[in-house]
Amino acid sequence: MIEYRREGLLPEKPHSVFKPEGQLAYEHVFTRDGFDGPFSILYMREQVQFMGEGVSVDALWDVSVGRDPQALRRRHLRSFERAENKEMSRTEEHFLARQVLLSNADLTIGTCKFESAAETLFSNGDADELFYIHEGGGVLESAYGELEFRQGDYLCVPKSVIHRIRVKGPQYWFWVECKSGLRVPKQYRNTIGQLRMDAPYTHRDFKSPVLKVATQRRASSSFELTTKRRGRFSKHQLSADPFDSLGWDGTVYPFTFHISRFSPRSGQYHLPPTVHGTFATAGSLICSFVPRMVDFGEGAIPCPYPHSNVDVDEVIFYCDGDFTSRRGLQAGSISLHPAGIPHGPHPGAYEASIGAKEAHETAVMIDTFDPLRIHAAAETIEDAHYDESWV
Ligand SMILES: [Fe+2]
């Protein structure tokens, strides 16, 4: 979804006989928006069949809503606390370890903490998934090859891509399920789709999977896949290794983008947060705040102004550094400032920022148009005194 890429072995023409190893390779065409949107074509050693019917499994993600899911107040969710809570141990696989905190028609927002070596295959048929790797790292395996990721990376797994995640050590990720799809903001593209010279990143900043075509087939074993579609989970047995591919090309593939590769900008006087826009969905903008020089005009106030952004709910995941405009937050904090009430810096922060030259924060912000619902899991980690902290 960034640009056209290719890996491994490909025939000259799609949909034609291709026998790189003497026997016919099977094409697997992966399309979006019906057959009208971005697509990739993979070449598999074997056609991967779904064996028998899928077996429904109980809901694997707790999506129960809170006591008063629409209550209007500024919230601080202490997501870092969960790491210290033994009852919520981090031994599950990534797709089991989701904590659903907030959601609307466009997004599900939460965290993902786990540390196991994954064995099970997963595909999310509802959404592109975006993870911000707050702690940890590993390798995403798929038919596209292997994609390494590390702390500070955004990791995007497109809808319905069968994958498995291999990690070493504890993982703590901020997670956004993008039901309308994830893309680069339109204003960063030129007329032929290339990232513009004034975009805050370049094509080289996006890493895609590397496919090393195996010379030997993997020993056959059971290939069990868990899928999610319309919020329901089911298990399937596959007839062959779904990663046994020979090559692929196209525009749909998993990718990473390291937050430090985002080129921030500042102005003579304060620029709106849209200049930090990194990814877009149909109804949301995902922004990266990274260390930067701040506004340099005479008398400039670098701290964000108090404001009423009357159409969007604002969520911030705090990653690292000093969060000058907000008190009482730390790495792993998630703030929610909903539309309908104004918000802004904590008392004193606005004044204190005058004359500042640099900001040393790293954070992921989401502005989303559809109001967010508060889930029960969010209430269990809510800081009861956050709203009062403005008084
Ligand atoms: Fe705001």
Side-chain angles (χ1 to χ4, degrees), residues 273 304-305 307 309 314 316 326 337 343-344 365 367:
Y305 31 73
H307 60 281
N309 188 354
E314 175 203 281
I316 302 181
R326 307 271 168 84
H337 289 195
H343 69 250
M365 186 185 84
D367 273 350

Side-chain angles (χ1 to χ4, degrees), residues 133-146:
I133 312 301
H134 182 55
E135 285 175 23
V139 176
L140 177 110
E141 296 176 300
S142 71
Y144 295 88
E146 297 203 341

Side-chain angles (χ1 to χ4, degrees), residues 252-270:
V252 181
Y253 47 82
F255 66 83
T256 61
F257 172 78
H258 198 271
I259 197 166
S260 66
R261 306 297 293 183
F262 187 87
S263 298
R265 54 193 60 181
S266 53
Q268 192 177 21
Y269 295 93
H270 199 75

Side-chain angles (χ1 to χ4, degrees), residues 37-218:
F39 66 93
S40 287
I41 303 178
L42 300 108
Y43 292 85
M44 311 296 296
R45 282 202 172 98
E46 288 186 53
Q47 190 176 2
V48 180
Q49 304 279 9
F50 280 60
M51 310 285 280
E53 292 179 15
V55 178
S56 282
V57 290
D58 291 339
L60 298 176
W61 300 354
D62 178 4
V63 293
S64 44
V65 292
R67 290 183 300 275
D68 190 0
Q70 307 292 355
L72 203 60
R73 65 172 173 272
R74 291 167 290 199
R75 294 172 193 257
H76 169 207
L77 308 179
R78 298 164 60 88
S79 90
F80 49 87
E81 277 190 343
R82 195 168 172 244
E84 293 138 27
N85 185 340
K86 284 195 178 140
E87 282 177 26
M88 298 177 181
S89 67
R90 303 199 277 186
T91 55
E92 302 158 304
E93 297 205 36
H94 77 287
F95 68 93
L96 298 172
R98 308 297 173 88
Q99 190 175 36
V100 177
L101 301 173
L102 308 165
S103 71
N104 62 14
D106 189 27
L107 307 177
T108 308
I109 299 171
T111 57
C112 180
K113 294 176 186 173
F114 67 103
E115 58 187 15
S116 72
E119 290 297 326
T120 315
L121 305 166
F122 179 60
S123 73
N124 187 336
D126 284 332
D128 292 337
E129 295 206 87
L130 182 72
F131 304 99
Y132 174 78
I133 312 301
H134 182 55
E135 285 175 23
V139 176
L140 177 110
E141 296 176 300
S142 71
Y144 295 88
E146 297 203 341
L147 178 63
E148 287 185 28
F149 57 90
R150 63 189 170 100
Q151 186 173 334
D153 268 331
Y154 287 104
L155 168 65
C156 175
V157 186
K159 175 159 71 173
S160 278
V161 167
I162 297 174
H163 63 279
R164 176 162 49 201
I165 286 174
R166 247 175 30 226
V167 297
K168 271 190 191 156
Q171 308 291 314
Y172 177 0
W173 304 353
F174 180 58
W175 158 54
V176 190
E177 192 188 31
C178 306
K179 291 169 255 189
S180 64
L182 185 81
R183 58 177 169 79
V184 163
K186 287 193 181 88
Q187 64 271 25
Y188 296 162
R189 303 270 194 190
N190 63 23
T191 50
I192 63 158
Q194 187 179 21
L195 292 171
R196 289 170 54 95
M197 293 188 76
D198 56 1
Y201 38 57
T202 75
H203 287 275
R204 299 177 201 174
D205 295 321
F206 293 86
K207 308 294 178 199
S208 50
V210 175
L211 180 66
K212 291 185 188 126
V213 178
T215 49
Q216 280 192 326
R217 293 176 182 218
R218 272 189 258 190

